[in-house]
Amino acid sequence: MNTYIFISDLQKQLQSFADANWSIGFVPTMGALHAGHLSLLRRSKKENDITVCSIFVNPIQFASQSDLTGYPRMMEKDSKLLTEEGMDILFAPEVDEMYPPGEELQLDLDFGRLDKVLEGKSRPGHFKGVAIVVKKLLDIIKPTRAYFGKKDFQQLNIIQHMVDTLKLPVKVVACETVREPDGLAMSSRNLQLTIGERQLASRIYDVLMFTKANAGSIPVKKLQMMAQKRLAETPEFRIYYFEIVDNRTLLPVSSWADPKHIIVCTSVSLGGIRLIDNMELFS
Ligand code: AMP
C-alpha cells in the first residue's frame, strides 16, 4: 500500500490512474478502523480498479476541543490493517495540509432543514464541517465512486444533497450498517465506552428493533413515545432525540402512509460518548 501525506504527491499518482482510465473508489474515514469501515473498503475494492482510503480526523466538524482530542487515533494499527486488506492507497494528511493557515473555510451551499434537524439541533456547524472536508477530499481525489455508511444517515443524506446540488461528478454509494453481535452499530467511538457502558449500549439496538417490530400497527406518535420511554429506562442514557422520520427530508412523519421512506433515528450519549444509530422500519 502506498501512503501519502501530501496532496500533490497523491494527485501525481492518481493522475496516472486517470490517464489509464481506471475507476477510482474512495472511502473517507476518521480512522480507528473497524469492520464497518472494512465493509465499505471491500465494496469499493470490488467495484473499482483502485481504492483510496483517507484517514483524517477533521477538526472543523467537532464542536468541542475535548471531543476532538479524545477521538481515538491509531494510525499504525490502521495502516497495518489496510495493508492486510490489500488496500491500494492511504491518504493521511496533517491538518495544515488540508486547511493551510489563512485559507478561508467556506462552502456556499444551503442544506435547508437537512442540517438543522436531528444531529444538527445539538451540533450546530457539524455538518458544514463534514461537507467542507468531503468536498475538499472529492476535489483532490476525483473518485468515480465514494462510499458512505448508512450508520451516519443524516451525513449520507447531506452529502448526497451536496453532490446533487453542485453536480459533482461522483456516484455516492450508500452501504449498510455493520453491527456487533449484540446489535450495537460499530463505531470508533465504542472504544471510548467502559465495559459496563458497552454492555448497556446494545439497548439502543433493542429499542430500534422494538420500533421496527411495531411499526405500522401502532400509531406513529404513540409508538415513538413508547420507544422513547423504553430508552429512558436506562438512566445512564442521555437521549438527544429518538424520532421517526422521512428518510428524504429527515422530518417527522405523522402516519405510516409512505412506508418505504420511513426510518427511525436516534442519538444517545453514554458516559459523555455520543452514539448514533438508525433503522429502516419497513425493509
Ligand atoms: P468515520 O470514520 O466514523 O467518519 O466513518 C467513516 C465512514 O464509515 C462513514 O461513511 C461512516 O458512515 C462509515 N461507517 C462507520 N461505522 C459504520 C458501520 N458500523 N457500518 C457501516 N458503515 C460505517
Side-chain angles (χ1 to χ4, degrees):
M1 182 179 69
N2 291 334
T3 302
Y4 296 90
I5 57 172
F6 296 117
I7 295 168
S8 55
D9 293 343
L10 172 70
Q11 284 184 317
K12 228 177 277 163
Q13 173 70 79
L14 291 179
Q15 188 57 50
S16 66
F17 298 138
D19 290 345
N21 243 337
W22 285 10
S23 59
I24 297 175
F26 174 45
V27 181
T29 82
M30 298 207 297
L33 301 177
H34 50 67
H37 296 117
L38 295 186
S39 73
L40 274 57
L41 289 161
R42 286 176 187 157
R43 180 154 175 201
S44 172
K45 224 171 132 52
K46 213 185 305 166
E47 296 177 354
N48 301 279
D49 296 315
I50 284 288
T51 288
V52 179
C53 173
S54 67
I55 296 183
F56 180 63
V57 182
N58 178 31
I60 65 166
Q61 72 185 67
F62 287 81
S64 83
Q65 191 62 30
S66 63
D67 193 20
L68 173 62
T69 49
Y71 197 84
R73 291 157 214 250
M74 43 192 74
M75 189 55 86
E76 240 172 73
K77 190 164 169 237
D78 287 347
S79 177
K80 192 162 165 268
L81 189 63
L82 291 171
T83 304
E84 283 164 9
E85 280 291 311
M87 206 40 55
D88 304 303
I89 291 180
L90 168 62
F91 179 47
E94 296 290 338
V95 173
D96 281 0
E97 181 69 3
M98 288 298 283
Y99 303 122
E103 191 186 275
E104 211 182 325
L105 288 179
Q106 66 164 14
L107 181 67
D108 200 12
L109 189 58
D110 183 12
F111 294 111
R113 301 283 297 280
L114 292 179
D115 64 339
K116 320 272 180 318
V117 297
L118 304 176
E119 286 295 288
K121 264 190 208 159
S122 49
R123 300 173 84 183
H126 167 70
F127 288 113
K128 192 119 197 166
V130 171
I132 287 175
V133 79
V134 171
K135 168 80 167 48
K136 249 177 187 280
L137 288 165
L138 292 175
D139 287 346
I140 292 167
I141 293 164
K142 300 185 176 57
T144 319
R145 300 179 188 85
Y147 295 78
F148 296 89
K150 289 188 186 178
K151 146 96 171 33
D152 299 284
F153 192 82
Q154 189 170 10
Q155 168 175 290
L156 169 66
N157 184 310
I158 283 172
I159 286 164
Q160 183 68 67
H161 175 88
M162 174 175 80
V163 165
D164 292 345
T165 312
L166 301 179
K167 298 190 171 50
L168 303 180
V170 60
K171 180 174 168 32
V172 171
V173 182
C175 303
E176 294 305 323
T177 300
V178 177
R179 298 181 179 279
E180 299 284 357
D182 66 359
L184 177 66
M186 289 196 176
S187 165
S188 307
R189 289 184 187 275
N190 296 350
L191 293 170
Q192 296 172 277
L193 300 172
T194 64
I195 294 171
E197 288 164 352
R198 170 62 192 83
Q199 277 169 356
L200 292 175
S202 65
R203 294 189 188 172
I204 300 169
Y205 175 74
D206 297 343
V207 179
L208 293 176
M209 287 300 280
F210 163 80
T211 311
K212 189 178 172 92
N214 290 285
S217 47
I218 299 178
V220 177
K221 287 292 156 225
K222 185 165 180 220
L223 179 57
Q224 185 169 297
M225 274 168 56
M226 288 165 69
Q228 284 167 345
K229 204 164 150 240
R230 283 191 172 222
L231 210 49
E233 280 166 11
T234 301
E236 289 85 350
F237 286 160
R238 173 176 173 196
I239 305 164
Y240 289 102
Y241 59 82
F242 185 96
E243 286 187 40
I244 298 172
V245 300
D246 184 296
N247 67 3
R248 297 158 295 183
T249 61
L250 306 179
L251 295 175
V253 296
S254 51
S255 79
W256 302 115
D258 201 359
K260 76 174 193 293
H261 290 293
I262 300 181
I263 133 172
V264 58
C265 296
T266 188
S267 174
V268 162
S269 111
L270 180 53
I273 305 306
R274 193 176 180 114
L275 303 174
I276 62 171
D277 203 347
N278 65 81
M279 194 173 275
E280 291 163 5
L281 291 184
F282 295 92
S283 62

